[in-house]
Amino acid sequence: MSGGRFITLEGIEGAGKSTIARFAREWLSARGVQALLTREPGGTALAERVRDIVLEPGPEPIPSEAEVLLMFAARAIHLASLIRPALARGEWVICDRFTDATRAYQGGGRGITGALIDHLAEVVHGDLWPDCTVLLDLPVQEGLRRARARAAAVDRFEQEREPFFERVRQAYLQLAEREAPRIRVIDASRPLDAVQREVAGVLETLL
């Protein structure tokens, strides 16, 4: 990857991933590191069209199996068109969600088997996993309060009830326990400056 690093941000709704992603890019830029900011599902024009299918509420439900396939379809496009080329150029990539989100949301939340998700991950990105994943963790009620306070409209996931997000959060925490030290858990319920300081410490270890 010629010096490129792949960093992902994870967490439930309202955890502050987008804010921390921008902070991370600015922190790295100040130290002379070029970093590309992107998101999942989405990240390219075509993958964003898949994102719209996944997130927009509509009269026709999306079966859980179709949802996980759409996530990996968008991911395959994203990897081929944006992530892999950037890493090959030696750039750092900061991505708001990646396969850990699928493991938490479609696995923990929807009940899709880990075996299917792992198989799709192997097909779509093989041995390319993040160098570091920052899991911004906070209680579900606080996350949903933040998310709903800022949103003009809610997407398909934000319409889910608390038990769904409790399952997602627990899946994330189980992943973090199982896959330390790649996944670093940061308490996102604290003030923003405290969260940013801890994220900066994680980034420092990658330089």
Side-chain angles (χ1 to χ4, degrees):
M1 292 191 298
S2 305
R5 295 288 184 271
F6 185 21
I7 303 168
T8 56
L9 300 173
E10 298 286 357
I12 63 168
E13 274 64 15
K17 296 181 303 304
S18 299
T19 299
I20 293 301
R22 291 190 294 271
F23 166 79
R25 180 175 60 180
E26 291 166 4
W27 189 94
L28 288 167
S29 177
R31 286 152 184 82
V33 178
Q34 183 175 1
L36 177 69
L37 192 59
T38 188
R39 69 176 183 177
E40 288 210 346
T44 75
L46 183 56
E48 289 286 336
R49 290 166 62 186
V50 181
R51 178 188 179 91
D52 290 342
I53 295 171
V54 173
L55 295 187
E56 288 181 1
E60 187 174 4
I62 299 177
S64 298
E65 295 80 5
E67 185 177 276
V68 74
L69 292 171
L70 286 166
M71 290 295 188
F72 275 105
R75 184 162 298 134
I77 296 165
H78 192 199
L79 282 159
S81 299
L82 191 147
I83 293 175
R84 287 186 184 276
L87 293 173
R89 293 192 299 269
E91 295 179 25
W92 289 43
V93 175
I94 302 168
C95 190
D96 183 341
R97 301 196 187 282
F98 192 62
T99 295
D100 291 316
T102 307
R103 297 158 95 188
Y105 277 78
Q106 283 71 51
R110 303 288 194 215
I112 295 294
T113 65
L116 174 58
I117 293 172
D118 289 346
H119 175 68
L120 291 170
E122 175 64 26
V123 170
V124 169
H125 54 90
D127 62 355
L128 176 60
W129 283 87
D131 295 289
C132 179
T133 296
V134 173
L135 172 56
L136 298 167
D137 178 58
L138 78 171
V140 167
Q141 286 189 343
E142 173 62 13
L144 294 181
R145 183 193 66 77
R146 292 181 185 181
R148 288 165 182 167
R150 71 175 184 231
V154 295
D155 63 32
R156 285 183 59 253
F157 289 100
E158 291 168 340
Q159 290 179 340
E160 294 288 345
R161 298 181 181 276
E162 284 187 23
F164 172 82
F165 291 106
E166 292 289 357
R167 295 194 300 273
V168 171
R169 184 190 183 201
Q170 289 308 309
Y172 268 134
L173 292 174
Q174 289 166 11
L175 282 170
E177 184 175 355
R178 199 162 65 235
E179 301 193 19
R182 175 179 70 85
I183 302 178
R184 316 284 186 91
V185 182
I186 291 179
D187 180 0
S189 66
R190 296 172 300 163
L192 178 59
D193 60 346
V195 176
Q196 290 175 332
R197 283 196 300 272
E198 192 165 352
V199 170
V202 171
L203 294 173
E204 188 73 50
T205 68
L206 298 173
L207 287 175

